[in-house]
PDB file of all heavy atoms in Angstrom:
ATOM      1  N   VAL A 400      -5.374   6.294   7.920  1.00  0.00           N
ATOM      2  CA  VAL A 400      -6.177   5.460   7.011  1.00  0.00           C
ATOM      3  C   VAL A 400      -7.478   5.148   7.733  1.00  0.00           C
ATOM      4  O   VAL A 400      -7.530   5.088   8.934  1.00  0.00           O
ATOM      5  CB  VAL A 400      -5.509   4.193   6.510  1.00  0.00           C
ATOM      6  CG1 VAL A 400      -4.309   4.464   5.655  1.00  0.00           C
ATOM      7  CG2 VAL A 400      -5.022   3.336   7.818  1.00  0.00           C
ATOM      8  N   ARG A 401      -8.583   4.884   6.907  1.00  0.00           N
ATOM      9  CA  ARG A 401      -9.926   4.685   7.470  1.00  0.00           C
ATOM     10  C   ARG A 401     -10.251   5.700   8.584  1.00  0.00           C
ATOM     11  O   ARG A 401     -10.939   5.361   9.511  1.00  0.00           O
ATOM     12  CB  ARG A 401     -10.052   3.255   8.035  1.00  0.00           C
ATOM     13  CG  ARG A 401     -11.473   2.681   7.973  1.00  0.00           C
ATOM     14  CD  ARG A 401     -11.613   1.344   8.574  1.00  0.00           C
ATOM     15  NE  ARG A 401     -11.541   1.353   9.977  1.00  0.00           N
ATOM     16  CZ  ARG A 401     -11.384   0.323  10.778  1.00  0.00           C
ATOM     17  NH1 ARG A 401     -11.141  -0.861  10.250  1.00  0.00           N
ATOM     18  NH2 ARG A 401     -11.311   0.432  12.120  1.00  0.00           N
ATOM     19  N   GLY A 402      -9.780   6.877   8.491  1.00  0.00           N
ATOM     20  CA  GLY A 402     -10.146   7.930   9.375  1.00  0.00           C
ATOM     21  C   GLY A 402      -9.305   8.040  10.660  1.00  0.00           C
ATOM     22  O   GLY A 402      -8.659   8.968  10.920  1.00  0.00           O
ATOM     23  N   ASN A 403      -9.313   6.890  11.409  1.00  0.00           N
ATOM     24  CA  ASN A 403      -8.793   6.995  12.792  1.00  0.00           C
ATOM     25  C   ASN A 403      -7.545   6.191  13.066  1.00  0.00           C
ATOM     26  O   ASN A 403      -7.110   6.001  14.162  1.00  0.00           O
ATOM     27  CB  ASN A 403      -9.864   6.708  13.799  1.00  0.00           C
ATOM     28  CG  ASN A 403     -10.226   5.196  13.790  1.00  0.00           C
ATOM     29  OD1 ASN A 403     -10.309   4.615  12.706  1.00  0.00           O
ATOM     30  ND2 ASN A 403     -10.348   4.638  14.934  1.00  0.00           N
ATOM     31  N   ILE A 404      -6.976   5.601  11.967  1.00  0.00           N
ATOM     32  CA  ILE A 404      -5.762   4.747  12.179  1.00  0.00           C
ATOM     33  C   ILE A 404      -4.569   5.464  11.521  1.00  0.00           C
ATOM     34  O   ILE A 404      -4.627   5.709  10.329  1.00  0.00           O
ATOM     35  CB  ILE A 404      -6.015   3.360  11.626  1.00  0.00           C
ATOM     36  CG1 ILE A 404      -7.119   2.640  12.405  1.00  0.00           C
ATOM     37  CG2 ILE A 404      -4.700   2.565  11.660  1.00  0.00           C
ATOM     38  CD1 ILE A 404      -8.244   2.223  11.613  1.00  0.00           C
ATOM     39  N   ILE A 405      -3.568   5.734  12.343  1.00  0.00           N
ATOM     40  CA  ILE A 405      -2.292   6.318  11.795  1.00  0.00           C
ATOM     41  C   ILE A 405      -1.426   5.172  11.289  1.00  0.00           C
ATOM     42  O   ILE A 405      -1.099   4.272  12.035  1.00  0.00           O
ATOM     43  CB  ILE A 405      -1.523   7.144  12.780  1.00  0.00           C
ATOM     44  CG1 ILE A 405      -2.415   8.214  13.473  1.00  0.00           C
ATOM     45  CG2 ILE A 405      -0.262   7.679  12.175  1.00  0.00           C
ATOM     46  CD1 ILE A 405      -2.545   9.441  12.607  1.00  0.00           C
ATOM     47  N   GLU A 406      -1.167   5.173   9.965  1.00  0.00           N
ATOM     48  CA  GLU A 406      -0.391   4.076   9.388  1.00  0.00           C
ATOM     49  C   GLU A 406       1.132   4.419   9.415  1.00  0.00           C
ATOM     50  O   GLU A 406       1.530   5.508   9.068  1.00  0.00           O
ATOM     51  CB  GLU A 406      -0.848   3.878   7.924  1.00  0.00           C
ATOM     52  CG  GLU A 406      -0.301   2.593   7.388  1.00  0.00           C
ATOM     53  CD  GLU A 406      -0.738   2.309   5.993  1.00  0.00           C
ATOM     54  OE1 GLU A 406      -0.784   3.309   5.129  1.00  0.00           O
ATOM     55  OE2 GLU A 406      -1.127   1.157   5.712  1.00  0.00           O
ATOM     56  N   ILE A 407       1.844   3.349   9.845  1.00  0.00           N
ATOM     57  CA  ILE A 407       3.344   3.551   9.907  1.00  0.00           C
ATOM     58  C   ILE A 407       3.978   2.522   8.897  1.00  0.00           C
ATOM     59  O   ILE A 407       3.886   1.316   9.149  1.00  0.00           O
ATOM     60  CB  ILE A 407       3.847   3.165  11.344  1.00  0.00           C
ATOM     61  CG1 ILE A 407       3.038   3.843  12.423  1.00  0.00           C
ATOM     62  CG2 ILE A 407       5.314   3.421  11.453  1.00  0.00           C
ATOM     63  CD1 ILE A 407       3.339   5.345  12.474  1.00  0.00           C
ATOM     64  N   THR A 408       4.508   3.045   7.883  1.00  0.00           N
ATOM     65  CA  THR A 408       5.163   2.166   6.847  1.00  0.00           C
ATOM     66  C   THR A 408       6.457   2.839   6.368  1.00  0.00           C
ATOM     67  O   THR A 408       6.542   3.202   5.147  1.00  0.00           O
ATOM     68  CB  THR A 408       4.166   1.944   5.624  1.00  0.00           C
ATOM     69  OG1 THR A 408       3.807   3.247   5.071  1.00  0.00           O
ATOM     70  CG2 THR A 408       2.962   1.251   5.990  1.00  0.00           C
ATOM     71  N   PRO A 409       7.396   3.017   7.160  1.00  0.00           N
ATOM     72  CA  PRO A 409       8.630   3.644   6.729  1.00  0.00           C
ATOM     73  C   PRO A 409       9.400   2.809   5.755  1.00  0.00           C
ATOM     74  O   PRO A 409       9.197   1.605   5.551  1.00  0.00           O
ATOM     75  CB  PRO A 409       9.469   3.798   8.054  1.00  0.00           C
ATOM     76  CG  PRO A 409       8.942   2.789   8.980  1.00  0.00           C
ATOM     77  CD  PRO A 409       7.457   2.532   8.557  1.00  0.00           C
ATOM     78  N   PRO A 410      10.401   3.404   5.069  1.00  0.00           N
ATOM     79  CA  PRO A 410      11.340   2.640   4.207  1.00  0.00           C
ATOM     80  C   PRO A 410      11.909   1.540   5.056  1.00  0.00           C
ATOM     81  O   PRO A 410      12.274   1.740   6.205  1.00  0.00           O
ATOM     82  CB  PRO A 410      12.313   3.661   3.764  1.00  0.00           C
ATOM     83  CG  PRO A 410      11.775   5.033   3.959  1.00  0.00           C
ATOM     84  CD  PRO A 410      10.767   4.894   5.071  1.00  0.00           C
ATOM     85  N   LEU A 411      12.185   0.401   4.405  1.00  0.00           N
ATOM     86  CA  LEU A 411      12.708  -0.748   5.167  1.00  0.00           C
ATOM     87  C   LEU A 411      14.181  -0.448   5.571  1.00  0.00           C
ATOM     88  O   LEU A 411      14.749  -1.155   6.457  1.00  0.00           O
ATOM     89  CB  LEU A 411      12.728  -2.034   4.267  1.00  0.00           C
ATOM     90  CG  LEU A 411      11.362  -2.417   3.628  1.00  0.00           C
ATOM     91  CD1 LEU A 411      11.485  -3.775   2.973  1.00  0.00           C
ATOM     92  CD2 LEU A 411      10.249  -2.364   4.573  1.00  0.00           C
TER      93      LEU A 411
END
Side-chain angles (χ1 to χ4, degrees):
V400 292
R401 210 185 71 196
N403 69 316
I404 294 121
I405 304 279
E406 191 176 48
I407 310 290
T408 56
L411 309 189

